[in-house]
Amino acid sequence: MDKNIAIDSSLRTVEWKDNKVVMIEQTKLPNELIFVEYDDFNQVANAIKTLIVRGAPAIGVSGAFGLGLAALQSKATTKEELLSDLEDARKILFATRPTAVNLGWGLEKIMNVAKTGETAEQIREIVISTAKKMAEEDIQINKAMGKNGAILFDNNDTIMTHCNAGALATVAYGTALGVIRATRESGKNVKVIATETRPIQQGSRLTAFELKHDGFDVSLVPDTAVGYSMANGLVNKVVVGADRIVKTGHVFNKIGTYQVATMAKQHGIPFYVAAPLSTIDLKTKAEDVIIEMRKGSEVTGIGDKKTAPDDIGVINPAFDMTPPELISGIITEKGVATAPYEKSIPKLFEANN
């Protein structure tokens, strides 16, 4: 069931309410702010796949909530039956967005706690309570990350960001936009330049909407004007989010991030990445990360309007990889990692223990 709900002072992207998952329907933004309710984990899987909910931290929590729904939907009466049903649901949820590491992290965390339950009813309770706790922890993690990043930005900075790594990409507050929020909250005046982020327009539809809603001075530029903006002194620093970071410091993020980072390096502009430790993948090599390819119609049209000839070939990767030599620092809730990342990233996890 869809219903309109008034905007709060802080957007809450996804939450658990009355044994249902409530999400902002992000494909409707900025024209409509609509919240959708789901009581079936398959609906949550579809929401992740179709970008109704997106952003690595947000889909990590959404996946956890999806398993909460699966636990309630299951008719299992024994521990073994329920764990089997949860594993089936995990596979369906995981297949929706293979690049974002937070989804696998959220699902694995829920499956691990589920195995500690002794009865089916106990498993249901622990799965739902853990998922709800993960949502609350996401907000606190983002605020800690914001404080760690705020010291890197100066009064009167104009900060460029790409895609949407704000409250809409997390449960609330945001990663890259959380750093920008924390910078303003520390008393500094900042302006923001948001890239439109073709082909899904997350920058224009979501980041511009979110920052304007929160009273920021924000300007929108086409993706093709990043170099122009930097060459003409319009940008002091860049901060983006991430969908996956590997231990070597290679960052996988929305397509176009690599171009922004390359331009920043060319113009001597610091380029920062803000992401929680749950986005860091210590096991996978950069060359083994799967880049999700999306449907060609996202490129050959805008909405219902066709912008390309029929039967044209389309290459539409959802993400690209930014190498560590282009990155000035990786901002996390446990501190800021700098090169060499193979040494600094593990230290963040040591601080987390």
Side-chain angles (χ1 to χ4, degrees):
M1 183 180 70
D2 294 4
K3 57 184 178 180
N4 286 301
I5 300 176
I7 297 180
D8 226 359
S9 59
S10 178
L11 295 167
R12 188 87 173 209
T13 301
V14 57
E15 61 183 322
W16 184 273
K17 189 179 288 185
D18 300 326
N19 284 341
K20 294 179 181 177
V21 179
V22 182
M23 297 177 177
I24 294 176
E25 215 289 28
Q26 295 195 37
T27 66
K28 303 296 184 184
L29 291 171
N31 297 320
E32 296 178 279
L33 182 68
I34 292 175
F35 286 70
V36 290
E37 292 180 349
Y38 299 128
D39 57 11
D40 186 321
F41 80 88
N42 290 290
Q43 294 172 312
V44 173
N46 184 65
I48 296 170
K49 183 69 175 176
T50 60
L51 306 184
I52 287 171
V53 64
R54 26 70 52 204
I59 66 174
V61 172
S62 296
F65 282 158
L67 287 180
L69 292 180
L72 292 178
Q73 287 172 254
S74 172
K75 302 290 195 255
T77 57
T78 68
K79 174 178 178 175
E80 292 72 24
E81 289 172 342
L82 183 50
L83 288 177
S84 177
D85 287 348
L86 287 175
E87 175 59 19
D88 290 343
R90 185 201 67 81
K91 290 176 181 176
I92 291 170
L93 288 159
F94 181 73
T96 57
R97 301 297 303 275
T99 307
V101 73
N102 293 67
L103 179 57
W105 165 83
L107 296 171
E108 183 180 355
K109 188 167 185 176
I110 293 297
M111 291 303 298
N112 286 339
V113 299
K115 291 169 186 173
T116 67
E118 295 181 1
T119 66
E121 199 51 45
Q122 194 178 65
I123 290 171
R124 288 184 176 95
E125 290 175 4
I126 198 171
V127 162
I128 292 169
S129 64
T130 301
K132 289 163 74 173
K133 185 180 178 183
M134 288 167 64
E136 295 307 316
E137 287 176 346
D138 179 71
I139 300 171
Q140 299 310 313
I141 285 169
N142 293 337
K143 289 185 175 180
M145 191 188 319
K147 287 182 180 178
N148 290 337
I151 61 174
L152 301 170
F153 297 85
D154 299 316
N155 191 39
N156 296 321
D157 267 351
T158 297
I159 306 167
M160 177 174 281
T161 191
H162 183 65
C163 194
N164 175 261
L168 292 167
T170 62
V171 175
Y173 202 73
T175 55
L177 297 195
V179 170
I180 294 172
R181 283 191 172 88
T183 301
R184 184 172 72 169
E185 289 166 7
S186 72
K188 298 170 188 173
N189 179 53
V190 293
K191 296 180 180 179
V192 183
I193 292 177
T195 60
E196 62 176 350
T197 319
R198 282 279 293 148
I200 306 297
Q201 310 288 113
Q202 291 98 327
S204 56
R205 289 190 305 105
L206 306 179
T207 296
F209 165 81
E210 185 177 326
L211 291 176
K212 188 171 183 290
H213 168 263
D214 287 352
F216 280 89
D217 183 338
V218 56
S219 299
L220 187 66
V221 296
D223 297 344
T224 46
V226 169
Y228 171 91
S229 301
M230 293 180 178
N232 284 278
L234 303 181
V235 180
N236 301 109
K237 295 182 179 76
V238 179
V239 63
V240 300
D243 286 85
R244 184 186 296 246
I245 301 169
V246 297
K247 64 181 179 182
T248 51
H250 291 79
V251 169
F252 295 81
N253 192 47
K254 183 53 56 189
I255 192 70
T257 302
Y258 178 36
Q259 292 167 210
V260 176
T262 302
M263 282 291 177
K265 186 75 169 181
Q266 170 69 18
H267 294 94
I269 296 169
F271 179 94
Y272 296 103
V273 177
L277 293 185
S278 58
T279 297
I280 299 176
D281 178 359
L282 295 176
K283 299 176 182 176
T284 310
K285 294 181 180 179
E287 59 266 29
D288 294 331
V289 174
I290 298 169
I291 298 289
E292 176 190 346
M293 302 298 289
R294 296 192 61 83
K295 57 186 179 182
S297 59
E298 293 178 349
V299 177
T300 58
I302 299 175
D304 296 329
K305 183 177 176 60
K306 191 172 74 170
T307 58
D310 293 333
D311 302 319
I312 189 76
V314 175
I315 302 169
N316 186 23
F319 306 98
D320 58 23
M321 182 186 76
T322 299
E325 58 267 26
L326 300 182
I327 300 167
S328 304
I330 297 172
I331 305 163
T332 77
E333 71 270 30
K334 293 298 179 181
V336 181
T338 54
Y341 292 104
E342 284 187 274
K343 292 183 178 180
S344 61
I345 286 177
K347 287 181 181 178
L348 295 175
F349 285 87
E350 291 171 14
N352 197 40
N353 293 329

